Amino acid sequence: MSTRSRIQSALATPPMPHQVKGVRFLNRLGGRALICDEQGLGKTYQVIAYLKLHPEVRPAVVVCPATLKYNWQREFARHANLKADVAEGREPFELAGNIWILNYDILPYWLARLLAHHPALLCVDEFQKCGNHKAKRTVAAVALAGQCNQVIGLSGTPISNGPVEFFPMLHMVAPTLFPAFFPYAFKFCAPRQGFRGHWDFRGASNTEELHSLVSSFMIRRMKADVLTDLPPVTKTFIPLKVGLHEYNIAKQHFIQWLGERRGREAVKRARGAESLVRLGQLRMLAGKAKLPAVVEWLKDWSGGKLVVFGIHKTAVVRYLADQFSGCPVVTGGMTPQQKEDAISAFQNGDAPMIFGNLKALGVGHTLTAGQAAAHVEFSWVPNDHEQGDARCHRIGSTGRIESFYFVALGTTDEYLMELIETKRDVIGQVVDGLPARVHEMVIEKLLRS
């Protein structure tokens, strides 16, 4: 049976041609490889497919940024029906199962516990995070990789500033080719002796030789190379486990306000204006709870120009824009000329991001400079998000758009995500009372939670 056939029979979602090639690459190299595809080409899927086809490669450990932990867990379940457990905090506890996910920040504290279980495979996601070979996270990752028979590194931006940052991951995957730092640094990092005899390894040298060596175990595809594989818009839901103290208090007050009624009676009572205000407060608190994680994710973004949508002007949109000086913002209350100037700065200038309300920025504007969209909050009308994505991907556009949705676990986000993810036939029904129906569904779920 071919690799494609095996993946199609084993996974719930069919692979794209370039993903099949990626899994074949991992098979050929025995799970010691770098997948450095451009962002949005499904590096996570390729690793999950490989692990699904090789159940003998266990335990498996995935190390990734904190904002991606629950996305990995969700993708394991969605694509491959595999249960992955997430590590939290600096105090190690016994993890169930044989696929474990943890973030870089806690890796040094979990190292001894992980080593005791003799993992077979280590996947280092966004491995540029291990660019400093002296950092605690890097030292821990290298130690863990040294005990694993298979090591896979993932990154769309493997080198940010120079070859010196590439060494830790090269050593983890190919320790025979790259056994020690200083021989590597003196050969490939154009060393210069600086103050008090310290060496400066921020340069680059013998790059063609380095490329030749690395190419033996690295695969990299760009979107332009695989355009025929990709749908016009790709949706990715990013689950976030965030602090919900304020949200849970407001939720409890809302449920108490509804009274002792349950089922349809409670829903009927909840259709009034005050209930919609209270439900909107829950949505805002969910949005605010996500902000630290969203800021971290945005700082790591390297996939081209990005359009960032929110709902609440001050609490979310303006807050995010303030974290990224020089990026334009479009919100309600601005004059048409102010909006046009902001959009022009994004379309024609160097601004990497534009922030805006979904209503103010997501309708009637052309944002084709955007290569991706990020939805920080959820609208009561799922079609609003489709409209937002359409600002980037207009009719006749040949580009592909990634659309990211940040989901605060345990909140109304999850219910609204279901509407968007299951592609319910709600487009065009706004005039028939769609918002009320969506509110009704969310309230029903709140009462059952």
Side-chain angles (χ1 to χ4, degrees):
M1 184 182 293
S2 69
T3 301
R4 172 180 288 280
S5 298
R6 292 176 64 202
I7 296 174
Q8 286 178 329
S9 63
L11 273 71
T13 47
M16 289 179 267
H18 71 276
Q19 294 172 330
V20 175
K21 292 178 183 177
V23 176
R24 285 182 186 143
F25 189 73
L26 291 174
N27 285 334
R28 180 163 62 83
L29 294 176
R32 297 194 78 93
L34 300 178
I35 299 180
C36 296
D37 294 339
E38 190 178 8
Q39 195 156 0
L41 296 186
K43 296 184 289 293
T44 299
Y45 178 94
Q46 293 169 66
V47 173
I48 291 172
Y50 178 78
L51 283 170
K52 183 69 173 181
L53 297 185
H54 294 280
E56 75 281 2
V57 184
R58 303 289 191 277
V61 178
V62 174
V63 179
C64 63
T67 53
L68 300 181
K69 286 196 299 186
Y70 288 93
N71 185 59
W72 268 97
Q73 184 184 50
R74 180 175 180 272
E75 295 295 275
F76 269 114
R78 184 167 74 96
H79 293 305
N81 194 29
L82 290 173
K83 185 178 186 302
D85 292 282
V86 175
E88 294 282 1
R90 296 183 176 185
E91 293 294 331
F93 53 86
E94 197 60 40
L95 292 168
N98 54 23
I99 300 176
W100 307 319
I101 304 166
L102 67 163
N103 53 298
Y104 286 104
D105 300 324
I106 65 173
L107 177 59
Y109 304 94
W110 280 77
L111 179 61
R113 175 63 59 91
L114 295 172
L115 290 174
H117 287 278
H118 307 289
L121 179 143
L122 170 64
C123 175
V124 186
D125 188 18
E126 302 292 351
F127 66 71
Q128 71 274 11
K129 296 284 189 181
C130 287
N132 181 352
H133 72 282
K134 295 180 181 180
K136 290 181 180 179
R137 66 174 63 179
T138 306
V139 172
V142 169
L144 186 58
Q147 298 300 312
C148 295
N149 291 327
Q150 302 188 26
V151 181
I152 301 172
L154 306 180
S155 178
T157 53
I159 300 178
S160 298
N161 298 306
V164 66
E165 298 177 351
F166 210 178
F167 173 77
M169 195 68 241
L170 297 180
H171 174 68
M172 283 188 262
V173 173
T176 302
L177 281 176
F178 303 97
F181 174 74
F182 282 104
Y184 172 90
F186 276 99
K187 187 169 188 177
F188 299 114
C189 302
R192 291 187 304 158
Q193 197 162 19
F195 183 67
R196 292 185 178 177
H198 293 291
W199 287 96
D200 183 344
F201 294 118
R202 289 177 292 179
S205 52
N206 300 307
T207 54
E208 290 186 7
E209 181 181 352
L210 179 59
H211 175 74
S212 178
L213 289 171
V214 174
S215 294
S216 64
F217 57 89
M218 181 181 76
I219 188 171
R220 179 167 173 80
R221 280 77 55 91
M222 309 301 286
K223 287 179 185 175
D225 301 328
V226 297
L227 280 177
T228 56
D229 294 1
L230 304 176
V233 178
T234 303
K235 288 186 175 67
T236 300
F237 292 87
I238 302 177
L240 300 172
K241 189 172 183 179
V242 297
L244 295 175
H245 178 70
E246 284 187 79
Y247 176 91
N248 286 331
I249 291 175
K251 173 186 171 182
Q252 190 58 41
H253 288 167
F254 181 41
I255 293 174
Q256 289 174 352
W257 176 80
L258 286 174
E260 297 301 321
R261 297 177 180 82
R262 289 294 182 266
R264 304 301 300 181
E265 287 299 316
V267 171
K268 287 179 182 178
R269 180 180 179 184
R271 284 177 175 168
E274 185 176 351
S275 69
L276 300 186
V277 170
R278 289 173 178 261
L279 200 55
Q281 177 73 4
L282 287 180
R283 185 178 63 171
M284 184 187 71
L285 291 173
K288 290 177 65 176
K290 288 180 280 186
L291 290 176
V294 170
V295 169
E296 182 180 343
W297 188 92
L298 291 175
K299 287 180 178 178
D300 288 339
W301 171 254
S302 59
K305 286 199 168 190
L306 182 67
V307 181
V308 183
F309 293 111
I311 303 294
H312 295 91
K313 179 170 71 174
T314 303
V316 174
V317 176
R318 289 285 180 185
Y319 174 89
L320 289 173
D322 288 345
Q323 312 306 308
F324 298 89
S325 60
C327 290
V329 59
V330 173
T331 62
M334 294 172 63
T335 67
Q337 187 59 52
Q338 287 174 324
K339 292 180 181 179
E340 190 59 36
D341 290 344
I343 290 168
S344 179
F346 177 71
Q347 285 285 94
N348 306 315
D350 297 327
M353 289 181 257
I354 185 170
F355 299 86
N357 295 98
L358 191 55
K359 289 290 188 183
L361 185 60
V363 178
H365 299 295
T366 296
L367 300 167
T368 48
Q371 295 165 278
H375 299 268
V376 180
E377 296 181 277
F378 290 81
S379 170
W380 300 126
V381 184
N383 191 39
D384 286 348
H385 296 286
E386 304 286 343
Q387 287 287 327
D389 292 339
R391 299 309 97 205
C392 303
H393 188 273
R394 307 303 300 273
I395 295 174
S397 173
T398 58
R400 266 49 177 180
I401 299 300
E402 294 176 87
S403 184
F404 299 94
Y405 293 77
F406 296 93
V407 183
L409 295 174
T411 73
T412 56
D413 279 6
E414 290 193 84
Y415 315 140
L416 293 168
M417 178 190 72
E418 291 176 19
L419 289 175
I420 296 168
E421 190 173 28
T422 56
K423 299 179 180 177
R424 299 191 182 211
D425 186 18
V426 295
I427 297 176
Q429 298 181 30
V430 176
V431 294
D432 297 323
L434 172 64
R437 175 58 186 152
V438 171
H439 284 90
E440 183 178 323
M441 295 168 65
V442 171
I443 293 171
E444 285 179 324
K445 288 178 176 290
L446 278 173
L447 290 171
R448 291 199 299 267
S449 65

